[in-house]
Amino acid sequence: MKRIVFFLFAGISLVLAGCSQNTYSRLRDQEDRLIANYISRNELVILSEEPDENHVWGEKEYYKVRRYDNFYFHLIERGDSIRVDSISPTETDTVNQKIVSNDVIVVRYKKFGLTEIADTMSYWTTLDEAYPMEFHQGNTSDCECVAWHAAVQLMKYPNSQCEIIVPSKLGFADDQTTVTPYVYIMKIKVKH
């Protein structure tokens, strides 16, 4: 009889504990609302189509990246589309500099939450962090943040800079575990 009462009590405790805690679905709904509030509060203009390379990005223009929920991209600086390989270049001395899969990407970044008074973590200079983060483009075992790989693909060229709004499921493992979205300002180089 004591055993039945124990299991009954344990079962009721589990049901009550489950009802009082947030489920992943509820946390994702809260995250969606947080991202929507951030966009509204900052009066961002959301573009549904990816702008072409000649587009001059307005300060508050963000592209809602296709194939991803709640992932937004804003290009701050285009970067270097052409590299010159000599002092007196001819047409054959110029090389298209577009980033390709497996290039080593060197990143400096700032990271902050989407709440009104958010903490900022800065890895922007050597004073913040001695060595920048490096990863191979397209290799999520180097860098599990899918949004970073997608952002680099959208930036296209070395020495580009962007700002992205990253939902937790496209972020780093800790962000996924805590269901926390972040904004990143990134500047990239390619290591040769």
Side-chain angles (χ1 to χ4, degrees):
M1 182 69 173
K2 288 182 181 180
R3 190 177 258 174
I4 293 172
V5 171
F6 172 75
F7 285 117
L8 183 62
F9 179 70
I12 291 171
S13 297
L14 286 173
V15 168
L16 290 175
C19 292
S20 65
Q21 294 180 355
N22 280 330
T23 63
Y24 180 72
S25 176
R26 282 193 204 138
L27 292 172
R28 287 283 294 121
D29 289 342
Q30 289 173 358
E31 178 184 42
D32 291 345
R33 284 192 299 275
L34 182 60
I35 292 170
N37 287 341
Y38 178 83
I39 290 169
S40 175
R41 187 174 63 248
N42 290 287
E43 300 175 349
L44 303 181
V45 176
I46 304 304
L47 308 173
S48 58
E49 296 291 324
E50 180 181 353
D52 65 22
E53 288 199 28
N54 298 320
H55 180 77
V56 178
W57 289 74
E59 184 179 330
K60 294 186 179 236
E61 283 185 331
Y62 282 71
Y63 165 52
K64 184 177 187 315
V65 183
R66 285 192 178 163
R67 301 182 320 272
Y68 300 107
D69 293 335
N70 284 327
F71 176 44
Y72 298 89
F73 172 85
H74 170 75
L75 188 64
I76 298 170
E77 192 172 315
R78 171 70 58 205
D80 303 330
S81 61
I82 296 180
R83 180 182 80 228
V84 178
D85 285 340
S86 73
I87 295 173
S88 306
T90 65
E91 229 175 270
T92 59
D93 292 325
T94 60
V95 178
N96 189 330
Q97 185 102 352
K98 207 171 231 185
I99 294 171
V100 295
S101 185
N102 219 29
D103 276 348
V104 177
I105 307 299
V106 180
V107 181
R108 288 284 183 186
Y109 67 97
K110 294 178 187 178
K111 170 184 175 180
F112 54 94
L114 277 67
T115 57
E116 288 190 53
I117 303 171
D119 289 334
T120 301
M121 296 187 339
S122 182
Y123 304 95
W124 201 249
T125 68
T126 54
L127 294 175
D128 300 325
E129 181 73 27
Y131 299 100
M133 185 169 180
E134 294 183 7
F135 64 92
H136 288 86
Q137 173 60 10
N139 184 347
T140 55
S141 63
D142 278 3
C143 170
E144 76 267 15
C145 184
V146 172
W148 278 26
H149 294 278
V152 169
Q153 188 176 359
L154 288 165
M155 286 191 273
K156 296 181 178 104
Y157 303 108
N159 300 315
S160 293
Q161 187 174 330
C162 77
E163 184 170 322
I164 53 178
I165 301 171
V166 179
S168 62
K169 64 184 177 182
L170 298 177
F172 291 94
D174 289 344
D175 309 338
Q176 294 171 21
T177 302
T178 60
V179 190
T180 307
Y182 287 101
V183 172
Y184 290 91
I185 300 172
M186 301 170 56
K187 59 182 174 182
I188 64 168
K189 294 184 181 293
V190 175
K191 190 174 186 178
H192 296 284

